[in-house]
Amino acid sequence: MKNSEAENCEVKKIYTKNDYDEKYGFRTDLQNKIEFKKGLSKDVVKNIAKIKDEDKWMLNFRLKAYKEFLKHKWPSFGPDLKTLNFDDIKYFVQASESQDKTWDSVPTKIQETFEKLGIPEAEKKYLAGIATQYESEIIYKNLKEKWAKQGVIFLDISEGYKKYPDLFKKYFNSVIPFTDNKFAALNSAVYSGGSFIYIPKHIKLKIPLQTYFRINTKSMGQFERTLIIADEGSEVHYIEGCTAPTYSADSLHAAVVEVIVMKNARVRYTTIQNWSTNVLNLVTKRSKVFENGVMEWVDCNLGSKITMKYPAMILEGDNSHGEILSIALAGKGQIIDAGGKAIHIGKNTSSIINSKSICLRGGRSSFRGFVKSDTFALKAKSKVNCEALILDNISQTDTYPTNLVLNNSTEISHEASVSKLNKKQLSYLMSRGLNEAQASALIVSGFIEPIVKELPMEYAAELNTLINLSMEGSVL
Amino acid sequence: MEIFELLLSKKLEAIEVNKDTLFKAIIQTRLFGKLSNKIKFIHKKKDIKSEIRIKIVVNSKDPVDYAPTIVIMKGARGVKSVLKIEVLNLAKNPHVLISPNMEILDNDIEASHSLTIRQLDQNEIKYLMSRGLTLKQTEKLLIQAFINDL
């Protein structure tokens, strides 16, 4: 066998669709403890509150949100969501008694699912704490003792409300009110699962916290809610990953993530979104950043049928800074409508939005950005950089950046470019013995490298593998 | 390359770019008034080069809402298109809304856009004033230079 043939075989061996299904797209046959019938009503909202044993305050909040959801209009921009039928979704599925404290008490089949995804191994090696959400509920969570002793709180969102009601009520719904958009209203009405995190003053978590979200049931809606409060001078890196098996019917993931970055605090929120291509991923993520605070969103979107996600930062405090690093890969049948928002309110605030997208095999990737410099956001600075690679002539890429300036001391620069794979680079790499697919994958890896290098090593390696999987067999 | 002066006051919704063209426009809001323009530069033919250069001086309270879009249709292979918008924002209470968009439906193309929103350079002001110009003269000179550079 010639060298080049051997390399071809190796590529096929490593990256095939079967491997993808085996690693992420597998299904687990499990009898759920509670599984709601399809459809949404006031009773569904009440039943969720009842199962969670919530008080009147939360029930009223849910019902107000449900009312808002019914009257709120669909988004006026982005992909067509009319195929989404709210009556064809199950709004609550409980696979196991929630909040199992030890890994051994998690049902074996769920254990096997997460072991297959490498979660327990990751926890041992490089995480400060982990939570795993299976369907509607967190089924296992653990925070290493060292951090718990220092006052770090890492709980399921409902547990957080029950244990710390004052802290919870102060910040919950404060960054993303339920009136914000239709899906934030829906999430507020039926939310279940997600994390409540509090980092005390001046505590700096050196290693990340992680939550892994898994949908297993067909036509499932996952509506987790995350609230992160980083108190003054604290630091935290939170990572979320998500996968689901492939079904013919669509599932819905409509999460809400609120992050509060207090004075001098720093939060990095990393997402590696790898939903199967039957999941509609409609997520609202927003942070409020106070004086000298730093917020960083690292957002990698590879999976889902449709994604609409624009992590946002409200730079409220003077000298606060925000960054959004975004990767989007849209393959066959996928629409990834992603980007970011920076709202400058305080003085001397700064933001950077750096987006890289790749589309292939008929996929559509859109960058949608919004930078606003408010009346008193004096000397605000923003830099937006958006690069797109379009790998074939059946795909589409768009950029829709909007810049609004309401004062006369703001500086904004924005640049965007769209191109295909560089022929010279391809020829050079092929002259060095790589075949076309390998050379292309290497160029794409180089293209996203500035963002990938911001990820912890284990996740960077995983992301590169995922991108290679998505590119396997692509027309170049 | 043909040069085409864009009249942003015209409510044109789209221009089909059929030959190599340089589109240019300069606007001072004090003279122009409110700017509201959403225009598409549509490329359907192969191997067309287009460049769109827009300069806007915001020197009045008149709101600016400008959203040009480069569209490259499927089959328009070899198209190279560049959109460059520069805004000099000098008004006290401005309302500047700029959205340079792209919609790309083919891969054998090159397209890019850039936008800067800034004020007059303080170092340049200091230098010119150190040579004896008044602040008013300096600002006038720098605005002229910004416009003439198109």
Side-chain angles (χ1 to χ4, degrees):
Chain A
M1 191 184 277
K2 287 177 191 171
N3 275 348
S4 58
E5 283 172 353
E7 280 158 7
N8 274 335
C9 290
E10 201 181 341
V11 168
K12 278 172 189 160
K13 194 177 144 199
I14 297 169
Y15 308 125
T16 67
K17 182 79 176 92
N18 290 338
D19 285 351
Y20 187 92
D21 286 343
E22 194 182 314
K23 193 166 182 191
Y24 306 104
F26 60 90
R27 301 165 196 184
T28 309
D29 294 323
L30 188 73
Q31 190 62 46
N32 292 317
K33 293 222 164 188
I34 302 172
E35 186 171 324
F36 280 20
K37 283 181 184 166
K38 287 178 182 176
L40 181 60
S41 66
K42 209 172 179 178
D43 286 340
V44 166
V45 176
K46 282 181 178 173
N47 284 337
I48 291 172
K50 196 176 171 188
I51 288 168
K52 296 191 160 290
D53 194 23
E54 287 172 351
D55 59 12
K56 252 187 175 178
W57 185 87
M58 189 55 84
L59 176 63
N60 286 339
F61 171 79
R62 285 181 183 276
L63 291 172
K64 272 193 276 179
Y66 176 64
K67 209 172 162 187
E68 178 67 27
F69 163 74
L70 292 176
K71 69 177 183 191
H72 213 105
K73 286 181 183 167
W74 289 81
S76 58
F77 57 88
D80 184 7
L81 298 174
K82 298 240 167 78
T83 54
L84 175 57
N85 180 0
F86 290 111
D87 290 327
D88 201 26
I89 302 275
K90 289 170 192 161
Y91 287 84
F92 188 84
V93 176
Q94 191 186 64
S96 135
E97 294 294 339
S98 58
Q99 310 300 313
D100 288 314
K101 283 181 183 161
T102 63
W103 182 247
D104 292 339
S105 58
V106 174
T108 316
K109 282 193 174 174
I110 300 179
Q111 269 188 24
E112 282 168 7
T113 301
F114 285 111
E115 270 162 12
K116 220 168 170 181
L117 295 164
I119 307 304
E121 199 189 340
E123 182 191 357
K124 275 181 223 153
K125 282 185 180 168
Y126 46 81
L127 294 172
I130 192 163
T132 51
Q133 176 153 344
Y134 196 86
E135 315 295 24
S136 300
E137 303 246 277
I138 296 279
I139 52 109
Y140 167 73
K141 63 169 170 41
N142 187 32
L143 176 68
K144 287 186 178 157
E145 208 182 333
K146 180 189 169 186
W147 302 110
K149 273 184 180 170
Q150 294 191 47
V152 174
I153 300 168
F154 183 32
L155 296 171
D156 165 74
I157 193 89
S158 298
E159 205 183 346
Y161 174 52
K162 282 174 191 159
K163 286 192 175 169
Y164 304 94
D166 295 338
L167 184 67
F168 186 96
K169 281 180 186 171
K170 189 174 174 186
Y171 296 108
F172 179 76
N173 195 49
S174 69
V175 187
I176 305 168
F178 64 81
T179 48
D180 192 82
N181 64 68
K182 194 168 185 71
F183 297 99
L186 176 64
N187 175 285
S188 301
V190 297
Y191 83 87
S192 178
S195 304
F196 174 75
I197 296 168
Y198 172 75
I199 315 295
K201 282 183 184 176
H202 309 296
I203 297 295
K204 295 180 179 177
L205 259 78
K206 302 286 179 205
I207 45 175
L209 295 171
Q210 180 184 294
T211 302
Y212 198 94
F213 298 95
R214 177 79 180 169
I215 293 176
N216 188 60
T217 302
K218 194 178 175 183
S219 299
M220 165 75 195
Q222 194 175 64
F223 306 95
E224 91 270 7
R225 180 129 193 159
T226 297
L227 176 60
I228 300 175
I229 305 152
D231 213 330
E232 286 183 23
S234 65
E235 275 185 33
V236 62
H237 182 187
Y238 179 82
I239 300 173
E240 64 172 11
C242 26
T243 56
T246 308
Y247 290 108
S248 53
D250 290 346
S251 293
L252 172 63
H253 176 250
V256 165
V257 176
E258 296 178 285
V259 182
I260 290 103
V261 186
M262 307 290 251
K263 189 178 171 183
N264 297 322
R266 187 184 192 103
V267 175
R268 171 171 282 200
Y269 193 110
T270 299
T271 304
I272 299 181
Q273 184 269 105
N274 185 28
W275 292 119
S276 54
T277 50
N278 60 307
V279 175
L280 303 181
N281 185 42
L282 312 167
V283 175
T284 312
K285 290 180 169 178
R286 197 173 299 158
S287 59
K288 197 179 265 190
V289 191
F290 293 93
E291 199 180 336
N292 290 319
V294 176
M295 178 69 211
E296 297 165 312
W297 294 101
V298 182
D299 201 37
C300 308
N301 292 296
L302 305 167
S304 80
K305 182 180 182 181
I306 293 175
T307 283
M308 286 179 80
K309 180 159 53 142
Y310 322 98
M313 46 226 182
I314 302 169
L315 303 169
E316 196 164 293
D318 293 351
N319 306 309
S320 54
H321 175 74
E323 282 191 35
I324 298 167
L325 305 173
S326 165
I327 292 175
L329 191 144
K332 188 180 176 186
Q334 287 182 274
I335 301 175
I336 308 285
D337 201 282
K341 295 177 186 178
I343 317 291
H344 295 254
I345 295 173
K347 290 171 194 157
N348 292 314
T349 50
S350 55
S351 64
I352 295 172
I353 300 175
N354 198 355
S355 160
K356 304 248 181 189
S357 65
I358 303 139
C359 55
L360 66 159
R361 278 187 248 135
R364 182 175 181 179
S365 68
S366 300
F367 169 81
R368 209 173 290 276
F370 181 60
V371 175
K372 180 183 178 185
S373 181
D374 225 329
T375 315
F376 300 108
L378 302 177
K379 297 197 173 173
K381 284 187 173 65
S382 180
K383 189 173 190 295
V384 181
N385 186 18
C386 175
E387 289 174 77
L389 262 185
I390 178 166
L391 300 190
D392 53 47
N393 64 353
I394 52 169
S395 302
Q396 182 175 347
T397 185
D398 317 297
T399 61
Y400 303 107
T402 301
N403 303 275
L404 176 61
V405 178
L406 301 174
N407 65 65
N408 68 352
S409 63
T410 289
E411 285 178 22
I412 289 181
S413 69
H414 171 97
E415 52 187 330
S417 64
V418 179
S419 58
K420 59 176 182 173
L421 284 178
N422 187 311
K423 275 184 185 166
K424 281 183 186 167
Q425 289 174 351
L426 261 181
S427 305
Y428 174 76
L429 290 172
M430 288 171 75
S431 77
R432 310 300 289 178
L434 272 67
N435 63 41
E436 196 174 349
Q438 287 170 319
S440 305
L442 195 59
I443 293 169
V444 169
S445 291
F447 175 70
I448 58 166
E449 195 267 345
I451 295 177
V452 172
K453 74 178 183 190
E454 296 294 325
L455 297 170
M457 192 180 73
E458 296 79 6
Y459 295 89
E462 184 76 0
L463 188 72
N464 272 324
T465 307
L466 287 171
I467 291 203
N468 284 323
L469 279 167
S470 304
M471 285 189 59
E472 197 264 331
S474 59
V475 185
L476 299 167
Chain B
M1 187 177 264
E2 190 167 308
I3 297 174
F4 188 90
E5 294 281 346
L6 272 176
L7 295 171
L8 299 188
S9 55
K10 278 194 174 178
K11 293 285 175 193
L12 266 181
E13 283 188 358
I15 291 179
E16 202 170 312
V17 187
N18 290 321
K19 51 190 166 187
D20 295 355
T21 313
L22 167 63
F23 297 91
K24 295 204 295 187
I26 300 168
I27 281 178
Q28 289 199 62
T29 56
R30 190 186 290 161
L31 306 172
F32 189 85
K34 180 185 170 184
L35 169 61
S36 176
N37 188 288
K38 288 177 179 133
I39 186 168
K40 287 189 173 186
F41 296 90
I42 299 172
H43 301 75
K44 288 182 180 170
K45 283 190 173 176
K46 287 180 185 174
D47 301 318
I48 298 289
K49 285 181 188 161
S50 71
E51 195 176 336
I52 304 136
R53 290 188 216 158
I54 312 290
K55 290 210 175 197
I56 303 169
V57 182
V58 183
N59 46 11
S60 70
K61 277 186 182 175
D62 297 295
V64 172
D65 182 0
Y66 186 50
T69 305
I70 294 176
V71 182
I72 301 180
M73 303 299 286
K74 195 174 172 181
R77 304 182 80 79
V79 164
K80 290 182 181 174
S81 184
V82 179
L83 166 64
K84 192 176 174 187
I85 304 172
E86 289 176 79
V87 180
L88 200 52
N89 181 17
L90 307 173
K92 262 192 178 173
N93 294 302
H95 185 283
V96 182
L97 182 62
I98 311 263
S99 311
N101 305 317
M102 287 198 281
E103 291 173 3
I104 311 296
L105 288 89
D106 206 303
N107 70 323
D108 194 11
I109 56 98
E110 284 175 28
S112 65
H113 67 225
S114 67
L115 161 72
T116 56
I117 302 175
R118 63 178 178 91
Q119 291 73 47
L120 291 174
D121 188 314
Q122 287 302 316
N123 288 333
E124 289 172 358
I125 291 175
K126 275 178 198 162
Y127 175 76
L128 288 172
M129 287 177 75
S130 76
R131 311 302 288 177
L133 271 68
T134 63
L135 181 61
K136 212 171 178 185
Q137 286 171 323
T138 301
E139 285 178 350
K140 199 176 170 186
L141 192 65
L142 289 174
I143 291 169
Q144 205 58 49
F146 174 79
I147 291 167
N148 289 348
D149 191 33
L150 188 70

